[in-house]
Amino acid sequence: MAPYIGTATSRVDGVAKVTGAAKYAAEFNTPGLVYGSIVTSTIAKGWIKRVDGSAAMRVKGVIDVLSHEHRPPMADDDKAYADEVAPLGSPFRPLYDNRVMFSRQPIALVVAETSEIARFGESLVRVEYEVEAPVTDLNRERDAAVPVKPPTNPFEALFTPPKPRGAPERALAAAAMRHEAEYCTPIEHHNPMELYAATVIYHADGKLTLYDKTQGVQNIQRYVCSVFGMKPEDVRVMSPFVGGAFGNGLRPNFEIVLAVLAARALRRSVRVVLTRPQMYALGYRPAMIQRIGLGATTDGTLDAITHDAITVTSEYEDYYRQETGWSGLLYTCANAKYAHKLAKLDLPTACDMRCPSAATGVYALECAMDELAVALKADPLELRLRCYSERDQNNNRPFGSKALRECYRQGAQAFGWDKRNPEPRSMRDGADLVGWGMATGVWDAFQAPITVRIALSANGHAEVACATSDIGTGTRTIMAQVAADMLGLPLDHISINLGDSNLPQSPVEGGSWIAVSVSNGIATTAASIRDELLRLAKQIPNSPLAATAPGEVALIDGKLADKGDVSRAISISDAMRQGGVERIEQEKTTNPSADAARAHNTHSAVFAEVKVDEQLGVIRVTRVVSAVAAGRILNTKTAGSQVLGSVVWGIGMALHEETLIDHRFGRVMNANIAEYHMPVNADVHDIKVIFVDEPDDSNPLGIKGVGEIGIVGVAAAIANAVYHATGKRVRDLPITLDKLSP
Ligand code: MOS
């Protein structure tokens, strides 16, 4: 049996997904299920004076109209939840009071016998407001932005700008070569295919089973218990399949609160599904204004980095990530400083979106580096190699591993970078200007505590259980691969049970940390299973493993074998049956090794080719090569798809995506996936993903995770390619064709 780890294994749940057997949150049915339709505010700021549901209530089939005036109790705070490490804060709670804090805020729920009647009822609810003028324009509020507060715990500290070093202002002022510019990125929304949805099954004893679209079932369980004063044993949360989430499912969203509220009010099972426009009242990638200053010597050695950012959050909650510190991490530079301010606007709280902070922060840095290269008349890749950082200077420590040089080398080679004519507008293909640009990517490699249970049967089948979600990334598949290798069983003898709060503890699936956490978790528990098998095997008369120590055995091809002499082996079924057991079950917690002495990061080098129609300004991204260093790659197929999908996101970030707000009303104008532009098939051409070899000993399996690294640097590489093609530098995304016109 060949090992599965490292191979291009197809998804173990692929057939279930394409045949519809895989069920998502809105697809679980139960007798007597009723449906909630959400009434949202038409204003962005003010107070609700009255919610009049009388017309809706007269419709046959409408059961109730819930609002802040008419609902079961909710706790006044969610402190019991807020202390949890993942995701910090106090998420917006619908129907809490009469305050309106953002447009499309959920303010009432019409519950009816069918979803159609609920939707009709929703259209009949009349709301009277006291309207205040909203403030939603970052550009107008930039001077009112306030510095982020100092961290109050280690988790917050991860997101706070690093300490400055040296004398950055003086070094910048004295630098022989200087580049200073401002880069802007808009609000973006996640737009997963699956709408946020919750189905709440109400049991006769008042206990609830919740099917929710989420990145963390136990997170939802804690939150619901906190808000509704329920006991964990009375709330079971399941999310076996998730149709994309990209960070928006890290926090509890309002579908789950509304569905639980209605179920408790009516003592019935309830489903609530958001509409696509309502998805734009969830969190979003915050708009950013970034100012970068780079000072260098004439030979291209960086001497100063200053990076200031202003990002967006709500009036009621701070949200920020470590947007600026990537700059002093990525390149060697003696003098660096970072500043980060928040503009509090009448919008929902921003939230994590694929590679939060690095996707935007590194975009600005990598465009600035390109501009510095132009000023120095240096090749952009050569400049990055000259500034290559062997140490994490933010924290003065080495990297656990860093194969970025190899990313640059293999990426450049696959792309053909050495054939680039450095002169802008120098390369053409018929009527098109051709541009080549490149950029670097960096992201964190986190590992989190996790618990995994494995039950092995004497017939050689194993069930692996952990509460983690699989948000569509392929978690179920890599879990099966790792378990199969660790237990020496064929892949189809492994079943994976996940996405259920009753299962052993898992963090939310995010931050690219689940692959490393759950895989090492499986390895730990599998080692316990092996130890138990050895104990049984030793009891067999004349056991060939009688003298073998626990560290000297491995599970291979259904057998427990002495690693030094594999002929000394006992089959799993013999060991168990002769030991008189049909099933071995082990549950173990794996904690990450506390390796703060080294920095743990993934890296990438992205090379992009654009073709720009000179007359029309239409940009096509014709080629992208992304070379990624992310430790051991568990599954080249699903990991390749992660990076490929991320590159598509990067194309969207560079050229298409922008949430547009009418600031007079504080309302998103393009709250649908027709007018919120994102790449479609016709926008996506040749994308090549390379994984470079990067041995890493930070965890036993040497994994770093690939969920997020793939987007970082892509927008910058494309923006730099657009400059190379056209000679025009656009510093605010997306680069739409109007911005290219002279
Ligand atoms: Mo990710 S933005 O942590 O889902």
Side-chain angles (χ1 to χ4, degrees):
M1 215 180 318
Y4 295 101
I5 292 176
T7 62
T9 301
S10 291
R11 287 168 190 267
V12 295
D13 48 9
V15 171
K17 286 187 168 185
V18 298
T19 57
K23 283 169 84 177
Y24 294 77
E27 297 181 313
F28 289 89
N29 287 315
T30 189
L33 183 70
V34 296
Y35 301 81
S37 186
I38 305 169
V39 180
T40 62
S41 69
T42 54
I43 67 164
K45 188 177 189 181
W47 304 87
I48 302 164
K49 291 205 299 201
R50 202 162 83 94
V51 176
D52 179 3
S54 56
M57 286 301 290
R58 284 195 290 274
V59 175
K60 185 168 176 289
V62 170
I63 300 162
D64 208 347
V65 179
L66 300 170
S67 69
H68 68 280
E69 295 164 342
H70 171 57
R71 61 159 172 83
M74 279 192 279
D76 286 335
D77 64 54
D78 46 25
K79 280 215 170 57
Y81 161 82
D83 291 341
E84 295 293 339
V85 162
L88 289 173
S90 184
F92 166 77
R93 244 174 313 155
L95 315 197
Y96 181 67
D97 60 19
N98 65 339
R99 200 174 150 207
V100 176
M101 298 180 289
F102 53 88
S103 187
R104 291 197 177 86
Q105 175 178 318
I107 52 177
L109 186 75
V110 177
V111 187
E113 300 289 351
T114 70
S115 61
E116 292 82 1
I117 295 172
R119 201 117 173 215
F120 178 56
E122 174 215 320
S123 73
L124 300 176
V125 175
R126 294 287 164 259
V127 182
E128 285 173 39
Y129 303 98
E130 198 177 301
V131 186
E132 293 178 30
V135 175
T136 52
D137 187 350
L138 172 63
N139 285 311
R140 283 185 52 190
E141 293 308 302
R142 56 185 295 163
D143 295 333
V146 293
V148 296
K149 293 187 194 97
T152 58
N153 63 44
F155 193 71
E156 279 180 5
L158 284 175
F159 302 118
T160 310
K163 284 201 273 300
R165 58 178 179 263
E169 275 115 347
R170 198 168 355 122
L172 186 62
M177 298 299 293
R178 203 163 38 239
H179 168 70
E180 286 180 274
E182 195 166 278
Y183 300 86
C184 299
T185 51
I187 288 178
E188 294 173 10
H189 276 83
H190 306 66
N191 288 301
M193 290 280 280
E194 186 198 8
L195 298 167
Y196 275 85
T199 303
V200 173
I201 313 288
Y202 188 89
H203 302 285
D205 53 5
K207 293 187 182 187
L208 303 178
T209 301
L210 321 181
Y211 295 94
D212 189 29
K213 175 188 168 97
T214 175
Q215 293 175 241
V217 285
Q218 292 172 332
N219 189 40
I220 296 297
Q221 183 191 38
R222 284 190 293 269
Y223 182 74
V224 166
C225 287
S226 171
V227 169
F228 293 98
M230 296 182 74
K231 295 202 276 303
E233 55 269 32
D234 295 343
V235 180
R236 180 178 184 187
V237 185
M238 297 208 265
S239 190
F241 291 94
V242 177
F246 310 115
N248 215 343
L250 292 169
R251 312 187 88 200
N253 286 319
F254 43 77
E255 80 285 349
I256 191 67
V257 179
L258 291 169
V260 171
L261 203 63
R264 283 165 68 85
L266 304 172
R267 299 173 188 277
R268 292 185 71 164
S269 299
V270 180
R271 172 175 304 151
V272 173
V273 184
L274 269 57
T275 63
R276 185 58 66 174
Q278 289 169 354
M279 301 275 283
Y280 288 78
L282 302 173
Y284 50 86
R285 195 194 289 290
M288 279 182 82
I289 300 172
Q290 299 182 73
R291 184 153 191 91
I292 300 245
L294 299 176
T297 59
T298 48
D299 71 348
T301 308
L302 273 178
D303 198 35
I305 297 173
T306 63
H307 191 162
D308 298 353
I310 306 172
T311 64
V312 172
T313 192
S314 66
E315 275 290 349
Y316 57 91
E317 201 184 6
D318 286 358
Y319 165 89
Y320 57 89
R321 289 292 179 248
Q322 198 270 80
E323 316 280 358
T324 53
W326 301 105
S327 297
L329 174 74
L330 200 44
Y331 297 115
T332 296
C333 184
N335 304 288
K337 91 173 188 25
Y338 323 92
H340 188 170
K341 290 180 175 173
L342 282 177
K344 294 176 82 68
L345 303 178
D346 297 309
L347 293 171
T349 309
C351 81
D352 290 332
M353 179 162 146
R354 207 168 199 169
C355 235
S357 79
T360 41
V362 175
Y363 150 71
L365 172 70
E366 287 299 284
C367 288
M369 285 294 280
D370 197 69
E371 298 201 52
L372 182 66
V374 171
L376 287 162
K377 298 195 184 350
D379 178 83
L381 175 55
E382 180 55 32
L383 175 65
R384 285 162 174 91
L385 288 168
R386 262 182 257 170
C387 302
Y388 196 88
S389 165
E390 298 289 359
R391 280 180 82 76
D392 162 13
Q393 284 186 291
N394 282 343
N395 300 289
N396 189 27
R397 57 187 179 179
F399 289 97
S401 58
K402 180 175 175 180
L404 175 57
R405 246 185 244 287
E406 200 50 25
C407 295
Y408 288 136
R409 197 186 66 77
Q410 291 187 29
Q413 189 173 31
F415 187 82
W417 184 256
D418 60 348
K419 294 177 200 68
R420 180 178 185 263
N421 181 334
E423 198 57 40
R425 304 182 66 88
S426 64
M427 292 166 60
R428 284 180 179 268
D429 176 9
D432 287 337
L433 295 162
V434 177
W436 289 5
M438 60 84 56
T440 316
V442 58
W443 181 243
D444 288 306
F446 296 116
Q447 187 185 352
I450 203 164
T451 307
V452 172
R453 183 170 66 229
I454 298 177
L456 177 69
S457 303
N459 64 7
H461 284 71
E463 187 187 286
V464 180
C466 176
T468 179
S469 301
D470 178 348
I471 57 174
T473 49
T475 304
R476 210 179 245 105
T477 304
I478 56 113
M479 285 173 71
Q481 290 175 267
V482 173
D485 278 2
M486 297 296 154
L487 297 169
L489 297 173
L491 193 69
D492 61 3
H493 285 206
I494 308 291
S495 60
I496 301 295
N497 201 357
L498 54 68
D500 179 344
S501 61
N502 279 358
L503 298 176
Q505 175 274 330
S506 170
V508 292
E509 175 161 59
S512 301
W513 58 57
I514 282 295
V516 54
S517 305
V518 79
S519 299
N520 283 291
I522 290 168
T524 306
T525 308
S528 289
I529 294 269
R530 200 183 56 215
D531 291 348
E532 180 58 14
L533 282 170
L534 180 62
R535 195 183 66 77
L536 294 170
K538 280 176 183 293
Q539 293 169 359
I540 296 172
N542 302 318
S543 171
L545 299 172
T548 309
E552 293 165 13
V553 283
L555 285 163
I556 306 163
D557 292 343
K559 293 193 280 281
L560 187 66
D562 188 303
K563 281 195 275 191
D565 172 8
V566 290
S567 71
R568 293 148 69 87
I570 294 177
S571 77
I572 289 175
S573 59
D574 284 350
M576 289 176 71
R577 291 200 167 122
Q578 294 196 41
V581 296
E582 277 298 313
R583 185 182 157 91
I584 299 174
E585 189 174 295
Q586 294 286 322
E587 181 173 322
K588 296 284 168 201
T589 296
T590 302
N591 288 302
S593 61
D595 186 11
R598 298 186 296 171
H600 305 284
N601 293 93
T602 53
H603 291 90
S604 66
V606 188
F607 298 82
E609 175 184 86
V610 298
K611 293 190 176 168
V612 184
D613 183 301
E614 199 176 0
Q615 263 83 49
L616 299 175
V618 174
I619 304 167
R620 284 178 303 139
V621 180
T622 43
R623 285 197 298 139
V624 176
V625 173
S626 175
V628 173
R632 177 185 298 213
I633 301 305
L634 290 164
N635 182 330
T636 49
K637 188 173 183 177
T638 52
S641 295
Q642 282 295 298
V643 175
L644 198 134
S646 283
V647 169
V648 174
W649 273 55
I651 295 171
M653 182 176 171
L655 304 181
H656 307 121
E657 294 190 53
E658 180 172 24
T659 299
L660 294 161
I661 296 170
D662 185 332
H663 297 301
R664 293 170 303 170
F665 307 105
R667 190 166 178 90
V668 175
M669 294 187 285
N670 55 344
N672 57 73
I673 49 178
E675 291 163 292
Y676 180 99
H677 293 170
M678 60 182 99
V680 296
N681 285 4
D683 299 305
V684 178
H685 299 277
D686 184 15
I687 300 173
K688 183 178 172 64
V689 178
I690 298 167
F691 291 113
V692 310
D693 202 30
E694 189 182 57
D696 185 273
D697 63 358
S698 311
N699 59 82
L701 292 177
I703 301 164
K704 289 188 173 180
V706 294
E708 292 169 292
I709 179 64
I711 189 177
V712 190
V714 179
I718 292 169
N720 296 340
V722 169
Y723 168 76
H724 182 237
T726 64
K728 180 144 182 153
R729 185 69 69 172
V730 178
R731 299 192 186 91
D732 63 316
L733 298 184
I735 306 174
T736 46
L737 48 83
D738 53 302
K739 294 176 187 171
L740 282 184
S741 58

